[in-house]
Amino acid sequence: GLSDSETLTDHGKMKRPERWGWTQSGKRFVVPETADIFQSLLDPRHWGIAEVFTLALAGLHMSSLLFRAWLPVWFYLVQFAVYRVGYNVGIGWVLDRQSKVQAVTHWLKHARPETRKLVQKIVSASMKKD
């Protein structure tokens, strides 16, 4: 059976319940559904700049396994630690700055039009088409 928040489309597929967000000014909006990262990476038809970059970086890391006979174990431990710490600290810093002073929003408002267009293209590519 379906829960109260689940509905079916005309074609019998499950429809995601609407999720609502609020801006700082109190304006309400429907939160867009984003594609699952693993499904996106497995389907080349939906690859954008971010997916290509992610796969290239993963390929670079995995190619180091070809040299595992010459690279010590500590190399892989350091590689993993640097990646995880860098990712966690980086994303934490960006989210903290955005929530406190809207740093990303401010940067985008003052960015060159080409930069704004590129960011919009990357973000839009990760959203499902409704």
Side-chain angles (χ1 to χ4, degrees):
L2 297 175
S3 70
D4 293 337
S5 62
E6 296 175 319
T7 58
L8 294 176
T9 65
D10 293 339
H11 306 291
K13 292 184 178 181
M14 291 297 295
K15 183 176 158 186
R16 180 182 77 98
E18 284 187 343
R19 294 192 176 112
W20 292 89
W22 288 267
T23 64
Q24 283 192 321
S25 64
K27 185 178 177 184
R28 198 171 159 197
F29 64 95
V30 176
V31 177
E33 186 175 359
T34 55
D36 178 274
I37 186 67
F38 296 111
Q39 289 177 351
S40 295
L41 291 176
L42 295 174
D43 188 357
R45 294 175 297 165
H46 302 291
W47 286 2
I49 296 167
E51 289 80 12
V52 170
F53 178 75
T54 300
L55 288 170
L57 191 58
L60 182 65
H61 285 289
M62 290 170 68
S63 68
S64 72
L65 292 172
L66 296 172
F67 305 104
R68 70 178 182 260
W70 301 283
L71 294 171
V73 171
W74 64 262
F75 171 82
Y76 296 101
L77 295 173
V78 169
Q79 182 184 36
F80 175 76
V82 167
Y83 168 77
R84 285 311 308 173
V85 169
Y87 179 83
N88 290 344
V89 168
I91 197 88
W93 180 80
V94 168
L95 292 174
D96 179 66
R97 301 307 309 151
Q98 177 63 17
S99 68
K100 289 181 178 173
V101 296
Q102 292 75 43
V104 176
T105 305
H106 181 74
W107 172 73
L108 280 173
K109 282 183 181 176
H110 296 90
R112 295 185 351 216
E114 303 85 34
T115 304
R116 284 196 304 268
K117 196 177 217 179
L118 177 64
V119 170
Q120 183 174 6
K121 181 179 179 180
I122 292 170
V123 171
S124 296
S126 72
M127 294 181 190
K128 289 189 174 181
K129 309 295 184 251
D130 289 338

